[in-house]
Amino acid sequence: MKKRVWGIAPHLPGVPMKNVGPAAALASLSLLAAACGGAESSPSGKPVEGGTFSFALAADPGALDPALAILGVTNTTLSLAYDTLVTIGSDGKVVPGLAEKWDVKPEAVTFTLRKDVTCSDGSKLTAADVAENVNHIADPATKSPIYGVLVPAGMKAEADEAAGTVTLSTPKPFSFILETTSQMFVVCGKGLKDRSLLARGTSGSGPYQLAEAVPSDHYTFQIRKDYAWGPNGATTKEPGMPAKVVLKVVPNEQTAANLIISGDLNSAVIYGADRKRLEATPGMGKFLMPVGNGQFFYHQGDDRPGKDPAVRKALTQAINLPELGNISSSGTGRPAKGLVQDPTPCRGDSVTGRVPAFDAAGAAAGLDAAGWKAGADGIRVKDGKKLSLRLLYITTRGAGPQAAAEYLAAAWKKAGVEVTLNGVIDTKLSESLYATQDWDVTWLPIGVTLPNQLVGFLSGPAAPKGGNFAHLKNTRYEELITEAAAKTGEEGCKLWLEAESALFENSDLVPVVETTVLVAQKGVKFDFPAATFVPTSIRMTEAG
């Protein structure tokens, strides 16, 4: 069984990737953004008081300083001990957290903090603490991998202790300046003064505090009984909240599944073959979680077949997309409705009616009209050159990408295209996309929760000078995102959705499927947006 490691959130728009680099940014796109899914069924029974909740981590979280956290398992761990200024509800709406209210403009947001928040060492949370978190990450000396990722590049923070406010500002409008703070963990207390304490400890205002850390084995958290400032004022006095949370490092997914069935674990995220076994287990909560879309991009460089929009459309028509989605997700996916996952402020369907439908005859006619005529061997030729595609995909994401690549190759071969499969491991993905550019089509899973997190990859300078790895130049998309960027949050959502549709209508990229995983829950239920806990939602229950 392969280890499953979630990545960090994606690189933000219009920002040079000098801090995280293309490799980290692309790894994040294909690994993170596990969004909040719906529970088809959940554990029943009476609340269990003073219980212990055990959850499997697929890898060790490493250093626990939030400013240096680059792995999703790290953020999963940190979410128990740290709060954020706001959170995003399951409906995409902004919910108060450490901040009880806010005033937002396109280039700045001012938060008014709750007055009753204390850190795990008993010290009071101040506006200066919050400002120091942001400015520490933005300091070049910190070399934070989340600067330009979770904290927008150029962001500055100023505190007003008398007013109990902190203002975050950016050099130019940043349309989701409020929403992005839902991903910033706030350090306070002793850890803010001595960050070396954060390597194997926590110093936050969250509902749990790290009590024991045994790297590569387990991390134990104890509840803070006085906690009363969670999302919408949630407390730790609710019936069924566990007194202790134990995160066990279990790299083998089959082992994790066995431990849940035996009762030695309450929960784990399951990607592979053990999913069906757990779903059939009596009393198992079937909580499905999206983990990004499956889709493919066409390289539009000057010397590539994909530069011609007629060719892109024809190649898309040659694919039965629902069938591809079913194969690539092993039957566990859902139709893609856009590029952005829930919970997001921009909800809607940017896909339906915007992508060419399956039409093998239409695909053949389109390629003929574009000048690609079938040769004696069935492969199409134009100006003495074969219609050849090099198809890039990742080999370390289980069977899905491999199955998708093989299906695409077979379908395009029927249409008269010569296809070469180019499977690479994670560490080679960025090199192929940005440096060697040895691809014509790439199957690239992506998951983000804010639409502006994709801008740097879908527009702007082309690789290798910029993040635009597919050399996209969609004028309509660029016009729409420019207009949307000047609006705050939901105000610009209609424009962001229209911008996505412009990409699909031009066959720049083709959304195929929303991939899901199982968050197995036995004897417990909890919310898990973006692969992080909502700790105050955890409820231990008797077997039902």
Side-chain angles (χ1 to χ4, degrees):
M1 302 294 293
K2 296 182 175 65
K3 289 185 179 181
R4 302 288 183 176
V5 182
W6 293 305
I8 56 177
H11 179 70
L12 294 173
V15 180
M17 291 179 284
K18 59 185 179 181
N19 291 292
V20 294
L26 259 295
S28 67
L29 283 174
S30 58
L31 290 171
L32 175 74
C36 187
E40 295 179 358
S41 65
S42 59
S44 58
K46 297 179 180 179
V48 173
E49 300 301 328
T52 297
F53 166 47
S54 57
F55 179 88
L57 294 178
D60 186 82
L64 298 179
D65 185 340
L68 303 176
I70 61 172
L71 295 178
V73 287
T74 310
N75 290 321
T76 300
T77 304
L78 297 177
S79 63
L80 292 166
Y82 293 96
D83 288 318
T84 56
L85 288 165
V86 299
T87 62
I88 304 296
S90 59
D91 59 357
K93 303 293 185 183
V94 180
V95 177
L98 294 176
E100 60 184 7
K101 61 181 180 179
W102 48 85
D103 178 38
V104 61
K105 300 175 182 178
E107 70 285 343
V109 56
T110 297
F111 295 98
T112 300
L113 303 181
R114 292 179 59 113
K115 295 180 173 59
D116 58 345
V117 179
T118 61
C119 201
S120 55
D121 62 3
S123 61
K124 181 180 178 180
L125 177 74
T126 67
D129 290 343
V130 177
E132 185 174 340
N133 274 268
V134 175
N135 293 331
H136 173 74
I137 293 169
D139 184 349
T142 302
K143 297 181 180 179
S144 173
I146 64 172
Y147 181 53
V149 179
L150 299 184
V151 174
M155 177 173 275
K156 295 181 180 179
E158 293 184 6
D160 185 335
E161 289 293 2
T165 63
V166 60
T167 299
L168 310 184
S169 59
T170 50
K172 58 183 180 180
F174 185 83
S175 57
F176 295 99
I177 192 169
L178 169 63
E179 289 82 359
T180 195
T181 62
S182 68
Q183 298 175 322
M184 297 181 202
F185 292 125
V186 176
V187 178
C188 57
K190 295 178 181 178
L192 200 59
K193 298 177 177 63
D194 180 6
R195 297 193 78 99
S196 67
L197 299 175
L198 304 179
R200 289 297 173 193
T202 60
S203 186
S205 62
Y208 289 89
Q209 180 179 8
L210 184 62
E212 182 181 45
V214 181
S216 299
D217 190 84
H218 72 274
Y219 293 77
T220 300
F221 291 80
Q222 295 284 356
I223 198 168
R224 296 182 62 198
K225 295 182 180 180
D226 59 344
Y227 182 88
W229 46 85
N232 279 327
T235 76
T236 52
K237 299 186 184 301
E238 298 298 324
M241 276 202 70
K244 184 184 297 184
V245 177
V246 180
L247 305 182
K248 298 182 180 181
V249 181
V250 186
N252 188 292
E253 196 169 275
Q254 185 177 35
T255 299
N258 291 338
L259 290 172
I260 293 174
I261 292 173
S262 69
D264 294 305
L265 272 179
N266 295 115
S267 181
V269 178
I270 304 296
Y271 289 72
D274 292 284
R275 174 172 174 167
K276 291 184 178 179
R277 177 163 65 106
L278 285 175
E279 287 179 327
T281 300
M284 189 68 62
K286 300 179 180 68
F287 181 88
L288 299 183
M289 185 171 69
V291 289
N293 282 353
Q295 60 232 308
F296 55 93
F297 290 74
Y298 294 108
H299 195 305
Q300 296 182 33
D302 289 338
D303 59 341
R304 308 302 176 100
K307 182 174 179 60
D308 185 347
V311 171
R312 298 196 302 272
K313 179 181 178 180
L315 292 175
T316 304
Q317 288 178 304
I319 305 300
N320 185 324
L321 295 177
E323 191 171 278
L324 171 60
N326 189 59
I327 290 172
S328 65
S329 67
S330 299
T332 61
R334 302 189 285 225
K337 293 184 178 180
L339 297 178
V340 183
Q341 305 279 287
D342 282 336
T344 177
C346 292
R347 298 188 143 199
D349 185 347
S350 61
V351 177
T352 302
R354 310 294 183 139
V355 179
F358 176 52
D359 182 356
L367 291 173
D368 283 338
W372 293 97
K373 306 296 184 181
D377 59 356
I379 301 300
R380 294 178 178 273
V381 178
K382 180 179 180 179
D383 299 330
K385 183 179 179 181
K386 288 186 176 182
L387 180 52
S388 179
L389 299 175
R390 190 168 175 84
L391 176 54
L392 175 69
Y393 66 96
I394 309 173
T395 60
T396 48
R397 292 293 179 278
Q402 176 77 41
E406 292 175 351
Y407 181 89
L408 286 167
W412 283 330
K413 183 177 180 181
K414 290 181 181 178
V417 184
E418 182 179 68
V419 181
T420 301
L421 296 182
N422 179 22
V424 298
I425 60 175
D426 290 3
T427 53
K428 291 292 185 181
L429 175 63
S430 185
E431 179 183 341
S432 292
L433 286 174
Y434 286 96
T436 60
Q437 294 268 286
D438 55 348
W439 65 279
D440 297 290
V441 180
T442 182
W443 177 270
L444 186 64
I446 286 180
V448 298
T449 55
L450 295 174
N452 61 352
Q453 292 173 335
L454 286 169
V455 171
F457 297 103
L458 304 178
S459 62
K465 295 181 179 181
N468 184 358
F469 58 90
H471 294 235
L472 305 185
K473 190 170 180 58
N474 187 311
T475 302
R476 179 62 177 157
Y477 175 79
E478 293 170 2
E479 291 173 348
L480 288 165
I481 63 171
T482 299
E483 186 178 354
K487 300 180 181 296
T488 58
E490 288 184 85
E491 292 181 1
C493 282
K494 183 175 183 294
L495 295 168
W496 285 111
L497 290 169
E498 288 181 13
E500 287 186 16
S501 294
L503 295 169
F504 307 147
E505 290 169 344
N506 203 41
S507 297
D508 292 323
L509 68 147
V510 182
V512 178
V513 66
E514 180 184 74
T515 304
T516 66
V517 296
L518 172 70
V519 182
Q521 300 178 341
K522 190 173 184 181
V524 69
K525 56 183 177 180
F526 57 91
D527 296 331
F528 199 54
T532 56
F533 293 109
V534 178
T536 52
S537 73
I538 304 173
R539 299 288 185 272
M540 305 299 296
T541 65
E542 294 179 354

